Amino acid sequence: MIDSVALSPAFGVEFTGVTDALDDSFVHRCVEALKWRGVLLVRGLHLDDEQQLAFSRRMGEVVALGGQEIFPISINPEKSKTAKYLRGAFYWHLDGTSDDIPVKATTLTARQIAMTGGGTDFASTYAAYESLPEKERERYEGLRVVHSFEATQRLVTPDPTDEELAAWRTQPTHEVSLVWARRDGRRSLVTGATADHVVGMDPADSRALLDELLECATQERFRYTHDWRIGDLVVWDNTGVLHRALPYDENSERLLHRTTVVGDEAFA
Ligand code: OGA
Ligand code: MN
């Protein structure tokens, strides 16, 4: 029998007793849970690439990243072509803020884990919005934020060379509403490391506002930290869940296999 238990009071759910990840009723539960709970966990499922892809396709259309439907997540350059840029994942972020329609769901399976550290932190931007006092909601309503690749990479490399800067700037920037009024009537925040500046605001004020908001959104009570064991499957709703990798040794074996499911709701 499949059972479920909350990962944290605000969001997240762990399923136990899963024997077939492709079972219709289980997939249906996952789709629903993803909407309302944001993060799903099944421990020790040990999906192979084909099974992970099949499961992901049941949730929607899978996109290939850099030509790979199964994308290796590693900061070891021997394991991933984008190892260098993946360091940006150590900062709270949403994936795909440069796209009009962000990724709906991301799945990760743990192939190898770090000896120490290397967990993944999640924080619900629905829960964060809901916790805001009315005055704060008014303050944020109507603000537009420009997201950029550069904003994240500056956190990783604060003093870039001209070449690095030029490379980052080949990536498109994207302006979206800070408060995202969703078509189901709920609201969430669009923030994270890619948030570069608030449109029309003094740069220092803008930075202070974005930092304060991110701190508020990622406070302990809106957070779930996943400590990986080999074979775990974690799925998250990338439209409403910030995430970050926790530090680990760069020579570590840690290797996660990832799939990305396309979204169907554009940012506001
Ligand atoms: C990602 C990501 C975090 C991690 O796959 O998009 O940010 O813990 N991963 O590796
Ligand atoms: Mn990410």
Side-chain angles (χ1 to χ4, degrees):
M1 232 236 334
I2 295 177
D3 239 326
S4 60
V5 55
L7 290 173
S8 76
F11 72 111
V13 62
E14 175 175 0
F15 289 114
T16 54
V18 180
T19 48
D20 178 7
L22 297 175
D23 173 71
D24 276 344
S25 72
F26 176 64
V27 172
H28 181 73
R29 263 174 98 164
C30 287
V31 170
E32 280 304 299
L34 200 63
K35 233 186 278 173
W36 300 108
R37 299 298 297 172
V39 177
L40 317 182
L41 163 66
V42 188
R43 291 258 186 212
L45 200 55
H46 296 280
L47 297 181
D48 63 22
D49 287 348
E50 226 166 277
Q51 291 167 328
Q52 187 178 356
L53 262 177
F55 174 80
S56 306
R57 291 207 171 98
R58 303 286 296 279
M59 313 207 95
E61 189 189 329
V62 170
V63 270
L65 296 181
Q68 303 175 93
E69 285 181 321
I70 294 279
F71 190 82
I73 301 286
S74 169
I75 54 169
N76 183 336
E78 281 165 24
K79 292 187 180 179
S80 165
K81 283 181 265 182
T82 52
K84 190 172 151 209
Y85 290 143
L86 287 178
R87 288 169 189 279
F90 289 119
Y91 301 88
W92 286 108
H93 65 283
L94 300 170
D95 294 330
T97 49
S98 58
D99 303 322
D100 288 333
I101 300 177
V103 168
K104 178 165 74 180
T106 305
T107 78
L108 286 179
T109 54
R111 292 311 184 95
Q112 303 281 347
I113 58 173
M115 291 276 274
T116 48
T120 306
D121 249 352
F122 297 96
S124 167
T125 60
Y126 284 111
Y129 179 81
E130 280 153 23
S131 79
L132 292 175
E134 193 55 39
K135 256 185 85 170
E136 293 285 292
R137 291 186 186 186
E138 279 166 21
R139 177 177 171 216
Y140 299 131
E141 194 67 46
L143 294 185
R144 310 266 308 157
V145 176
V146 172
H147 290 257
S148 73
F149 184 68
E150 179 178 338
T152 304
Q153 293 306 316
R154 267 191 194 281
L155 297 169
V156 182
T157 311
D159 292 309
T161 62
D162 290 347
E163 264 170 354
E164 281 170 325
L165 203 54
W168 300 344
R169 291 187 175 163
T170 60
Q171 302 293 318
T173 63
H174 192 216
E175 185 187 311
V176 304
S177 286
L178 178 55
V179 177
W180 186 4
R182 315 296 291 266
R183 63 182 172 212
D184 66 3
R186 293 196 294 164
R187 277 162 190 252
S188 64
L189 297 169
V190 183
T191 184
T194 55
D196 192 288
H197 64 274
V198 179
V199 175
M201 192 177 278
D202 167 79
D205 293 346
S206 162
R207 192 70 265 153
L209 182 146
L210 291 170
D211 289 350
E212 187 190 320
L213 185 65
L214 188 62
E215 196 167 314
C216 165
T218 56
Q219 57 190 291
E220 198 77 39
R221 63 192 171 116
F222 304 134
R223 209 192 286 177
Y224 165 69
T225 301
H226 185 63
D227 288 315
W228 292 97
R229 289 184 219 143
I230 291 176
D232 288 354
L233 169 74
V234 170
V235 185
W236 72 90
D237 165 12
N238 177 68
T239 72
V241 177
L242 286 158
H243 59 283
R244 68 173 173 183
L246 294 170
Y248 56 97
D249 187 64
E250 72 180 273
N251 299 315
S252 142
E253 291 294 303
R254 188 189 198 259
L255 174 66
L256 307 176
H257 279 193
R258 166 180 160 144
T259 66
T260 306
V261 178
V262 296
D264 51 16
E265 184 170 10
F267 283 122

